[in-house]
Amino acid sequence: MLRRSICTGSRFFGQDWGGLIGLRVAVALEERFARIVVGNTGLPTGDHPLPEAFFRWRDYSQTTPVFHAGGIVKGACVTELAPEVIAAYDAPFPDERYLAGARAFPMLVPTTPDDPEAPANRQAWQRLQQWEKPFLTAFSDSDPVTKGGDAVFQKLVPGARHQPHTTIRGAGHFLQEDKGEELAQVIVRFIAGTPSA
């Protein structure tokens, strides 16, 4: 009983791959999550076209001879990142062998209806379309890959109705780097101000 009461109070924030992977986990283990916040992410099924910016990123991930993780994060931010921040993103990848997962991830995103991962994402969307618990979007204003994704969540997820959705201004894809404090305040206010479902 104690374990269940702890689990039912969990909150989830997903950005980028955190949303792509985490939303499927959240709906599969719905009893463990009380609230969801998403920013600059999606759950594509291949049934709708993805932006050209995604395909450019996917092609780059497969063809660039040097996959510089810190440089990629830097390039997807609006603000200048400190050298030590870029170094921290590079640290888990001392050589190309460690980048196999990072290079493979973009190829796992469903881009066509017959993609092997499309059925699992469709199933997750069916569950999200029944999600009544509080669901907030906090997307940035300058991400070419996920732009407009917040409107999809707001329209399709019942728990997103009447929530204080926000757009983080002056932030790129990695809004937690560009506007981390502002994003954190949005999340904290949402958690503090929303009654449990």
Side-chain angles (χ1 to χ4, degrees):
M1 186 65 165
L2 178 60
R3 181 167 182 241
R4 179 167 171 76
S5 66
I6 292 171
C7 290
T8 58
S10 296
R11 282 81 168 157
F12 168 75
F13 170 70
Q15 185 272 334
D16 192 59
W17 291 105
L20 286 161
I21 297 167
L23 285 170
R24 280 175 43 176
V25 172
V27 297
L29 302 171
E30 183 177 348
E31 70 281 359
R32 294 188 179 191
F33 295 91
R35 297 168 176 78
I36 291 178
V37 181
V38 292
N40 291 1
T41 193
L43 198 58
T45 62
D47 298 317
H48 306 285
L50 292 174
E52 185 57 35
F54 170 77
F55 292 101
R56 285 194 306 269
W57 155 244
R58 188 179 70 171
D59 291 345
Y60 174 85
S61 74
Q62 302 305 296
T63 61
T64 187
V66 178
F67 193 91
H68 179 223
I72 291 165
V73 173
K74 176 184 175 184
C77 289
V78 173
T79 57
E80 190 67 30
L81 296 183
E84 57 270 19
V85 172
I86 296 168
Y89 279 107
D90 286 333
F93 310 106
D95 64 48
E96 182 66 27
R97 294 173 299 163
Y98 295 87
L99 290 162
R103 284 188 184 267
F105 263 174
M107 301 305 293
L108 300 175
V109 176
T111 58
T112 60
D114 60 343
D115 186 282
E117 290 301 315
N121 280 7
R122 283 190 200 101
Q123 182 178 13
W125 267 113
Q126 288 173 355
R127 307 274 302 269
L128 280 172
Q129 288 175 296
Q130 299 169 8
W131 186 274
E132 298 284 345
K133 293 183 248 185
F135 190 105
L136 182 74
T137 61
F139 280 52
S140 71
D141 65 347
S142 299
D143 181 15
V145 175
T146 63
K147 184 175 184 162
D150 51 347
V152 175
F153 286 114
Q154 291 169 24
K155 177 181 178 183
L156 297 177
V157 179
R161 294 188 188 112
H162 312 296
Q163 299 299 338
H165 303 290
T166 190
T167 300
I168 307 292
R169 305 272 176 214
H173 180 67
F174 294 104
L175 69 165
Q176 68 274 29
E177 287 295 346
D178 283 324
K179 298 284 184 169
E181 188 173 323
E182 183 178 336
L183 175 62
Q185 289 173 358
V186 167
I187 295 169
V188 168
R189 281 195 305 267
F190 177 65
I191 290 171
T194 307
S196 296

